[in-house]
Amino acid sequence: MAGGLSLAGLIGAASFAVTVMATPTPSDDSSETVMGAATPSAALLPMTETPRPDSPLAANWDRASLGVDSEAQSELLNRPYSIEIEIAPGDTLMSVLQDAGIDRPVAYRAIEALSEVFDPRGLRPKQTMEVDIMPPLPNGVSRLAELRFHPDGLRDVIVSPEGEGFTATESVRSLTDHVVRTDGQIDSSLYVAARDAGVPVRVLGSLINIFSFDVDFQREVQPGDRFSLMFSEKRTDDGETVDFGSILVAEMTVGGTLKRFYQFQDDDGRIDYYDAKGQSVRRALLRTPVEGARISSGFGKRKHPILGYTKMHKGLDFAAPSGTPIYAAGDGVVEAAGWNGGYGRYIRIRHNGTYSTAYAHLSRIDSRVKPGARVDQRQIIGYVGTSGRSTGPHLHYEVHVNGRQTNPLGVKLPTGKTLAGAELARFERVRAEIEQQYAAIEPRTQVAQIVD
């Protein structure tokens, strides 16, 4: 609410591009138009020769040479002109309105009204707004006629005068879903290939999550591998893409093996991805609990880098920069979270009666991760570090099967749900429809981007 806004927190330096044009709608408030032969016209309107030195926008304003008491000047003084403001880093709404010549109390009332439909602290660099301003009075103070703002591609906000203050109205554009398909070949990395194919970052994240149970993106994906996606994008009535929906088909060819998964909502209402046989893509555990890492030490006997003698290494070491997020490999309950001797900061999660996983040498454990707490698969539980007996930042990762440490690379992980009976028959009908749609859509290589 506006009452909770701190004006001190809304003040900052502003820099923006400005264009000026007269609007055809005259002001209803003619009483504020002060004319007088002794009043220089430069104090009333931007002129063609010399900018007003007290206005930060003077150098950017168009100027018109008018007689001091002319009828033309009187008419123009009652017409607002428009400026377009692009928010720069460090800008606040208070700062840009004041730099536009709006008196601070007036700017405060406008911000107070806007906060009813949009939090002004949510302004982001590169966002733009249009401000209609009445030409300044002899005291140099401009009057705010209207503020138009599009906080995102979906909403339009207008702030306009009402009585002694302002009122804000919001309109929301209707959206329709459009299904699109995009294909790409990986030459250097999946991220670069997806970017070049126009895949939005958020959609790429969903693709990685779908395949994270079957594909080790750090080690298995090679140049020449391919991907294809069919997903929905949300468009306004004028065809502008403002958001993206879920993936309907996700396909990857890795090492010559094609994997394709289809979105399906089961009888319990859960949405998941299944292969052509109705087998869920999910596994009990992720193959890799940390992204962007390399295996620096495998499972088995090795010469310990600190102790100096041969010792059984009962896990995998993933080298990664300090602070890299670590994910829970699967749903489960935290059994241990804290300092554990040579392991340093340590977490152990029990996933079921058979499987547990352990994570060691963390720099920090997430505050939500405590013994007895439940965690979800891919939830951040801590961050890579070098605590305990360690020579550098890495994650030591263990998989325990029936209480015994087992090579994570050799564990055959149980699969998720397998559809059967009437549910499988319904899936097959849905899959046939999706396949038909997938084949009919021409792949494209550029998808409209939005800020994720």
Side-chain angles (χ1 to χ4, degrees):
M1 296 295 293
L5 288 175
S6 169
L7 287 184
L10 294 169
I11 299 175
S15 60
F16 41 80
V18 179
T19 56
V20 182
M21 60 182 180
T23 65
T25 305
S27 170
D28 293 332
D29 186 7
S30 58
S31 62
E32 291 191 24
T33 303
V34 180
M35 304 296 299
T39 303
S41 57
L44 300 172
L45 278 178
M47 290 290 137
T48 55
E49 296 295 332
T50 306
R52 284 177 49 216
D54 62 332
S55 170
L57 299 180
N60 298 305
W61 286 354
D62 293 334
R63 295 166 172 79
S65 296
L66 300 170
V68 172
D69 287 320
S70 69
E71 182 179 346
Q73 180 174 355
S74 178
E75 180 183 351
L76 286 178
L77 281 171
N78 284 282
R79 290 186 182 180
Y81 57 89
S82 295
I83 62 173
E84 183 178 273
I85 298 172
E86 181 176 290
I87 304 301
D91 283 352
T92 64
L93 187 53
M94 176 62 78
S95 70
V96 297
L97 289 179
Q98 285 193 285
D99 281 358
I102 304 300
D103 196 28
R104 182 185 178 91
V106 175
Y108 180 89
R109 291 196 295 273
I111 294 170
E112 190 176 40
L114 176 65
S115 66
E116 295 289 337
V117 296
F118 174 79
D119 186 348
R121 292 168 294 186
L123 287 174
R124 296 291 181 266
K126 299 296 185 182
Q127 287 182 324
T128 61
M129 62 178 61
E130 296 176 350
V131 182
D132 289 352
I133 299 177
M134 297 297 295
L137 297 171
N139 62 7
V141 176
S142 299
R143 293 161 292 166
L144 178 62
E146 188 172 270
L147 183 152
R148 295 178 296 280
F149 179 44
H150 313 288
D152 50 48
L154 185 59
R155 293 181 293 163
D156 298 316
V157 175
I158 297 177
V159 177
S160 53
E162 183 179 70
E164 295 297 319
F166 293 86
T167 184
T169 58
E170 178 186 42
S171 59
V172 180
R173 305 186 204 180
S174 60
L175 297 179
T176 55
D177 286 333
H178 293 261
V179 176
V180 297
R181 176 180 166 183
T182 182
D183 295 353
Q185 176 172 305
I186 300 168
D187 294 322
S188 58
S189 72
L190 175 61
Y191 173 80
V192 172
R195 181 198 63 192
D196 292 346
V199 177
V201 173
R202 193 159 11 126
V203 175
L204 174 61
S206 297
L207 170 69
I208 292 173
N209 284 339
I210 292 169
F211 282 96
S212 62
F213 300 94
D214 283 274
V215 176
D216 186 334
F217 285 95
Q218 279 77 50
R219 281 161 284 279
E220 293 182 4
V221 177
Q222 301 296 326
D225 291 342
R226 299 190 60 85
F227 68 89
S228 181
L229 293 172
M230 186 171 77
F231 59 95
S232 63
E233 61 181 25
K234 300 181 182 297
R235 299 179 189 171
T236 61
D237 292 339
D238 57 6
E240 180 185 2
T241 299
V242 298
D243 201 357
F244 296 94
S246 57
I247 294 175
L248 303 176
V249 177
E251 176 183 301
M252 287 195 70
T253 300
V254 178
T257 301
L258 186 147
K259 300 175 183 289
R260 182 185 291 179
F261 297 102
Y262 308 86
Q263 185 190 79
F264 179 70
Q265 185 173 12
D266 67 14
D267 291 345
D268 295 325
R270 290 191 295 267
I271 296 176
D272 207 344
Y273 292 86
Y274 297 81
D275 65 16
K277 296 180 180 180
Q279 174 64 58
S280 170
V281 67
R282 291 188 177 275
R283 302 292 184 270
L285 302 176
L286 294 174
R287 290 169 64 89
T288 308
V290 59
E291 294 179 1
R294 63 179 177 84
I295 296 178
S296 56
S297 183
F299 186 94
K301 290 186 177 181
R302 65 165 186 174
K303 184 176 182 180
H304 196 280
I306 294 179
L307 301 177
Y309 56 81
T310 300
K311 188 176 185 291
M312 186 67 179
H313 186 238
K314 297 181 180 181
L316 292 180
D317 286 350
F318 292 95
S322 290
T324 302
I326 298 168
Y327 303 106
D331 297 345
V333 176
V334 178
E335 290 187 316
W339 193 269
N340 186 6
Y343 280 119
R345 293 183 183 89
Y346 172 90
I347 298 171
R348 188 172 68 251
I349 300 171
R350 185 182 74 254
H351 303 287
N352 54 36
T354 303
Y355 294 93
S356 297
T357 53
Y359 315 76
H361 305 306
L362 280 62
S363 62
R364 181 165 64 89
I365 296 173
D366 188 277
S367 60
R368 297 168 297 175
V369 178
K370 295 178 173 61
R374 294 200 64 85
V375 294
D376 298 325
Q377 193 168 58
R378 296 195 66 85
Q379 175 182 328
I380 294 176
I381 56 174
Y383 301 87
V384 170
T386 186
S387 60
R389 196 155 37 226
S390 169
T391 58
H394 72 285
L395 167 67
H396 175 80
Y397 174 59
E398 296 180 355
V399 174
H400 301 183
V401 180
N402 294 319
R404 295 185 58 184
Q405 290 129 318
T406 307
N407 187 349
L409 297 179
V411 174
K412 185 173 178 59
L413 299 176
T415 58
K417 180 175 181 176
T418 300
L419 301 175
E423 197 172 36
L424 176 60
R426 184 167 65 85
F427 166 74
E428 289 175 342
R429 291 193 297 270
V430 171
R431 179 174 66 84
E433 294 172 1
I434 292 177
E435 285 276 18
Q436 188 176 16
Q437 188 178 25
Y438 185 66
I441 297 178
E442 185 70 23
R444 66 186 192 184
T445 58
Q446 189 63 42
V447 179
Q449 295 288 309
I450 63 170
V451 177
D452 281 292

